Amino acid sequence: MTEPKPAGAALGGPAAAGDRAGPSPLAWRAVLGCIIAAAMTVLDLAMTSTVLGSIQETMGEPLAKGALVISAYATAELITLSLSAFLTRVFPARTYLVLLVCLFVAGALLSACAWSFESLLVARVVQGAASGAIMPFAYYAIVVLLPGDKHPKAISTFSILVTGSYVLAPVLCITLGEWISWRALYCVAAPAGALGLWLALPGLRHMRTDASPLGRKVNAVGVAAAVVGLGCTQYALDTGQERRWFSSAVVTLAVGAALVAAVLFVVTELRSRHPLVDLRLLRLRPFLTSCVFNVVGGVAVYSSYVLIPVYLTTLGFSAADIATVSLYGGTVQLAIALGLPLLLRRIDTYLVSCTGALMFATAALLPFLAGSSPPYVVIVIALMCRSVGSGLLLAALGLMATRALSAHQAASGSLLFNMARSLGGSVGAAGCAAFLTIREAYHAAATGPDGADDAGRSLALHDVFAVAFAILLLLALSLVAGYALRRIRERRAALTTDG
C-alpha cells in the first residue's frame, strides 16, 4: 500500500513542507465546505422533528405513520452509511460530494413539493440515503486534507457548526415555518448545499485518495444482506401494530427474513476479503462496549425526535411554540459544546457520558412526574436536560470509541460506531411510535368508548416516558460499572507492575 501524502501534497503543495507550513487555505476551505454540507443534514432533521406535528396534521396521518418520516430517513441513512467506505473508493472526491449534495437537495425539494404522504416518505428516503454518506465524507476530508495536529481544531469546528444547527432549526421554524409553511423549511437545503459546494470544490480538485487494499471490490452478498435485513426490520416495525404483529404472516415472515439476513451479513463479512465494514474490530472489548452504548444512545436521540413533538402537540403547543421551547435547549447545547473539548480533556469519558445519560434520564423523568398538565418551566428544563444530556453522551462515547482503536483501525471503527448509532436510531424511532400506539390503544380500551382521545394519548406518553427513564438510568448505571471495572483493572495492572 502506498504511503499517505501530507495534506499539503494532497492539494499540490510541497510534500516535505506540508506539515511544517500547515495546510493550504484551499484545504481549510474544502473542509469547511464539507462540514457545512454535513451540518445541512443535521439542520434538516432538527427542523423535521420540530414540525412533525404540522406534517401529520397536513397529511392527515396518525402517529404511527408520522413517525415514518423520521424512521425511514434513519434506515436509508444506515444503509448508505454502511456503503460509504466502498463508495469513497469508487468516485473521485469532487464528483462524490456533488452527487451527494445534489441528491440531498433534490430530496429536500421533493419533500417541499410532496403531494401525498407516500411521496414525502420517498423524498425522506432519498435525503436519508444522501445524509448517510455526507457525514462520514466530512470526517474523511478532515483526515485526508489536514495534518494530524489540525484535527482537533477541525473537529471542534465541526461540533460547533452541527450544534449551531440545533439553534438555527427552531429559529427557521418560527419564521419560515410559521409565516409560510413547513414546506418552505425544506427549501433551505438549496442555498446551504450551494454554499458547501462553493467552498469545498476548489480544494477537492487535487484531493488525493490513497490506494486501499480492498480496491474497488465489495462483498455483494453482504450488501444484499444489509439492505434486505434493514428493510425487513423497518417494515416489521412500521406495520406491526396495524397488522397485529405476529398474528400476521407477513410481519412474521419479515422478522424471519431480517434475522436470516443479519446472520448472513455477519458470516459473510467475517469471511470476506472485501467486507463493507470490519466486524473483527468488535473483538476489542472497549470498542464493542462503546458501540453497544452508542446503539442505546441512538435509540434515545431518535426516539426523542418522535416523542417530543407528539408530547408537546398533545399539550396544545403549535409548531412555533415547539420551536421556541427547542430554541432554549439548542442554545444551552451550543454553550456546552464550546467548552466540551476542555471538559473531555479533564474528566474521564465514562463519567462525562454517565452525566449525559443521567441528564437525558432527567428529561424523561420530569414530564413523567409532572402529569398531564406540566408547568411551562418544567417543559423548558426537560428539553434543556435533553439537549445537554445528548450532547455530553454522544461526544463522550465518540471519544471513548476513538481511544479504543489504533490509527490504522480508525476508518473502519468510525464507520462501525456511526452505524451503531444509526441502527439504534432507526429501531428507536419506529419502536417508540409502535409502543406509544400500543399503549394508547390499551388505555383507550380501558377507559371505554366515552374516554377522551387526549386522555388515552396522555396516559400512553406517561408510559413511554417511564420506559425511557428506565432505559437511560440503566445506561448510566452501566457506564458507572464500566468506569469502576476499568479502574479495578488499572489498579491490578499497577500492582502487577510494582510487584
Side-chain angles (χ1 to χ4, degrees):
M1 185 174 74
T2 59
E3 291 294 323
K5 297 290 186 68
L11 291 175
D19 286 346
R20 294 196 301 270
S24 72
L26 281 180
W28 277 112
R29 176 175 168 172
V31 167
L32 181 59
C34 293
I35 292 176
I36 289 176
M40 168 187 68
T41 67
V42 176
L43 175 65
D44 179 272
L45 185 58
M47 291 190 300
T48 300
S49 173
T50 302
V51 298
L52 186 60
S54 298
I55 293 175
Q56 287 179 239
E57 183 179 352
T58 302
M59 296 293 184
E61 296 292 341
L63 166 68
K65 293 293 184 183
L68 285 174
V69 176
I70 302 295
S71 59
Y73 179 98
T75 301
E77 185 179 54
L78 177 58
I79 292 174
T80 52
L81 179 61
S82 65
L83 293 171
S84 60
F86 168 69
L87 294 175
T88 54
R89 302 196 301 266
V90 174
F91 294 101
R94 280 164 54 92
T95 303
Y96 188 52
L97 185 62
V98 169
L99 288 174
L100 293 177
V101 171
C102 289
L103 185 64
F104 187 88
V105 172
L109 295 179
L110 180 59
S111 296
C113 302
W115 58 92
S116 65
F117 187 73
E118 288 71 21
S119 64
L120 177 62
L121 285 184
V122 171
R124 293 298 292 167
V125 167
V126 171
Q127 285 187 275
S131 173
I134 289 176
M135 189 67 74
F137 183 78
Y139 282 103
Y140 177 71
I142 290 173
V143 172
V144 173
L145 294 176
L146 302 179
D149 62 331
K150 302 298 180 183
H151 289 177
K153 182 178 180 180
I155 294 297
S156 297
T157 303
F158 201 152
S159 176
I160 291 172
L161 285 179
V162 167
T163 306
S165 299
Y166 289 108
V167 178
L168 181 59
V171 172
L172 292 175
C173 290
I174 294 171
T175 53
L176 291 179
E178 188 71 12
W179 294 346
I180 306 176
S181 167
W182 60 265
R183 297 177 182 273
L185 297 173
Y186 288 108
C187 298
V188 174
L195 176 61
L197 289 178
W198 177 73
L199 289 171
L201 292 186
L204 295 179
R205 180 178 292 111
H206 304 294
M207 178 175 172
R208 180 187 178 92
T209 54
D210 297 306
S212 167
L214 299 178
R216 296 191 175 186
K217 297 180 180 180
V218 69
N219 178 15
V221 177
V223 173
V227 173
V228 171
L230 291 170
C232 289
T233 300
Q234 190 66 43
Y235 177 82
L237 289 171
D238 294 339
T239 64
Q241 174 63 18
E242 181 182 347
R243 295 177 178 270
R244 297 185 177 181
W245 298 103
F246 293 104
S247 299
S248 167
V250 177
V251 173
T252 303
L253 182 61
V255 172
L259 292 175
V260 172
V263 173
L264 181 62
F265 176 77
V266 172
V267 171
T268 55
E269 289 295 289
L270 290 176
R271 299 180 62 181
S272 175
R273 292 184 177 181
H274 310 285
L276 280 174
V277 290
D278 188 4
L279 295 180
R280 296 175 183 85
L281 292 179
L282 296 178
R283 296 173 181 172
L284 303 173
R285 185 170 59 184
F287 180 68
L288 174 62
T289 300
S290 66
C291 285
V292 172
F293 288 151
N294 206 29
V295 170
V296 181
V299 170
V301 171
Y302 277 79
S303 295
S304 67
Y305 286 149
V306 175
L307 184 60
I308 290 174
V310 172
Y311 174 63
L312 296 180
T313 301
T314 302
L315 294 178
F317 281 56
S318 66
D321 295 332
I322 296 174
T324 302
V325 177
S326 300
L327 182 59
Y328 297 137
T331 303
V332 174
Q333 187 176 3
L334 179 59
I336 294 295
L338 294 175
L340 196 56
L342 180 63
L343 184 67
L344 290 173
R345 281 199 302 268
R346 296 195 173 187
I347 302 178
D348 189 272
T349 52
Y350 271 96
L351 298 181
V352 174
S353 56
C354 177
T355 302
L358 286 175
M359 294 196 71
F360 217 143
T362 303
L365 180 63
L366 289 176
F368 173 79
L369 295 177
S372 58
S373 300
Y376 185 80
V377 66
V378 171
I379 296 175
V380 172
I381 294 174
L383 286 188
M384 285 184 176
C385 289
R386 181 260 175 196
S387 297
V388 175
S390 63
L392 292 177
L393 177 63
L394 296 182
L397 290 178
L399 185 57
M400 191 187 304
T402 301
R403 289 176 175 174
L405 300 170
S406 60
H408 73 277
Q409 296 170 329
S412 295
S414 175
L415 185 60
L416 268 176
F417 184 75
N418 282 281
M419 285 179 65
R421 185 184 65 248
S422 294
L423 176 62
S426 177
V427 174
C432 177
F435 181 70
L436 184 54
T437 303
I438 291 171
R439 297 306 297 172
E440 187 176 1
Y442 170 80
H443 289 299
T447 56
D450 296 331
D453 292 339
D454 288 343
R457 173 67 59 82
S458 179
L459 290 171
L461 287 166
H462 195 264
D463 295 343
V464 176
F465 280 124
V467 173
F469 171 74
I471 291 174
L472 288 166
L473 183 60
L474 181 60
L475 173 61
L477 294 175
S478 299
L479 288 164
V480 170
Y483 173 74
L485 289 173
R486 197 189 68 181
R487 294 288 294 176
I488 291 172
R489 286 196 298 268
E490 288 175 351
R491 288 185 179 183
R492 286 179 178 176
L495 291 174
T496 303
T497 303
D498 293 340

